[in-house]
Amino acid sequence: MRLVSYLLNLVYGLLLIAVSPVLAYRALVLKKYRSGWSQKFLGKLHEREGDRPCFWFHAVSVGEVLQLPPLLTILREQHPELEFVITTTTHTGYAVAREKFPGHTVCYFPLDFSWSVKRALQRIRPSAVILVEMELWPNFVLAADRMRIPVSIINGRLSEKSFRGYWRLRALIGPLLNRLELMAVQTDAYAERFSRLAGKSEQIQVTGSIKFDGIEVERGNPLTRELRDTFQLKKRDMVLIAGSTQDPEERIALDVYLELRRQYPDLRLILVPRHQERFEEVAALVRSYGLPLICRSQQSDEDQGRFIPFSTSERPPICLLDTLGELKACWGLADFAFVGGSLTKRGGQNMIEPAGYGAALLFGPNTWNFKDIVAALLQHEAATVVRNQAELEGQLTNWLRNPEAAREQGSRAQEFVLSQRGATLRTAELLMRSLNEAAQSAEKAA
């Protein structure tokens, strides 16, 4: 397999050269990809001291990072001696991980060059590596295998589209999967796909999705209350949140909101763009409509309750959540929740969080990234699909005329979320069993 590593280095190097103009543009003009290069390219992660057992969790971006707090809490309660290292790939994921895990080591994941992954593993010296959902890099897995460090996947998911892509590379992917200690996956369908790729199923366990366990269901939590005050929402207000949106979904939400407010003056709108770099773009869009605006990032405790210029009861401000890691709590303000990336080609975003609060849930037809969850929500009559702006406006009009119908759908969504809990505890038990078995095997070999 060392020959495979060298060939992969060559392929990665050629790819890096090919995309270097794009990377340079994004770094210089868009100010992206500027941090963590010594960790990514050279594997110079923070060197861990001591010999306490350590779990290295890799969470690609924000969504995967936010799945970890309940799991780490359970593991730490059961085994207080455990250390945790959390790595991410994206800048936003790194920022959220630093915020969520101030007492633990947070780094960037190394690029999959053989020298980078080897040095990273030598510096962290983990007892086990746990990959959240599916982030399988050949050189990393091979290096961990040579160093006898068990690698596992938790909350594994494998969409039909991803499966077709991996199937073309099954001569490489199959042996990598067979080197994993554990594949804890969300559904039977995912288990079957992993099994076909690996050629066997001994390491595969169906645990359910840990996303459900970290879902907040209480609207009275402190951060949601703080956001309510920040956005100056009144008890009588009916709140529409368009969250995790992409262009042109913010414009669609604004047009629908302005049309509906003619008949329903208590309607308020909160916009939450998916990507940090679009915060100012969306703020400019709102201002281009001549509407007052409250930006979360510009509101301090002293500002809460302050009069927003040009806002009146007829023209209340549009609310923009332009901070990281707060959408989860913001959904608790929603009477109606539109989940973005679903009228575009993104493939949808996480709709479990608004469902947990019992919001009346809407999303577009393009939700292939969450196919199983969408199917379950629709089966429980806990969500509504809108294919375009007209259908979004029509469904919201129906709910504003008949609020009880919206509340009933929201209740079904919350009941569904509550019924799915328990995957985090099952995953923690599997990880500890796997670690104990690996330790026993090492003792016997010694």
Side-chain angles (χ1 to χ4, degrees), residues 409-427:
Q409 179 178 294
S411 294
R412 291 191 294 270
Q414 187 176 60
E415 290 170 3
F416 166 72
V417 170
L418 292 173
S419 72
Q420 299 298 306
R421 291 187 163 183
T424 301
L425 182 57
R426 291 189 287 272
T427 300

Side-chain angles (χ1 to χ4, degrees), residues 300-367:
S300 66
D301 292 339
E302 292 76 17
D303 292 326
Q304 293 177 14
R306 182 174 61 86
F307 178 74
I308 302 298
F310 312 113
S311 67
T312 66
S313 59
E314 290 76 26
R315 290 168 54 85
I318 303 298
C319 307
L320 176 63
L321 185 65
D322 56 348
T323 51
L324 296 176
E326 293 190 322
L327 175 57
K328 180 177 180 179
C330 191
W331 284 123
L333 302 174
D335 295 286
F336 317 114
F338 171 77
V339 182
S342 57
L343 289 176
T344 66
K345 298 302 182 181
R346 172 78 184 187
Q349 294 293 341
N350 185 3
M351 61 280 296
I352 304 174
E353 291 172 351
Y357 287 110
L361 184 60
L362 308 113
F363 41 75
N366 304 323
T367 52

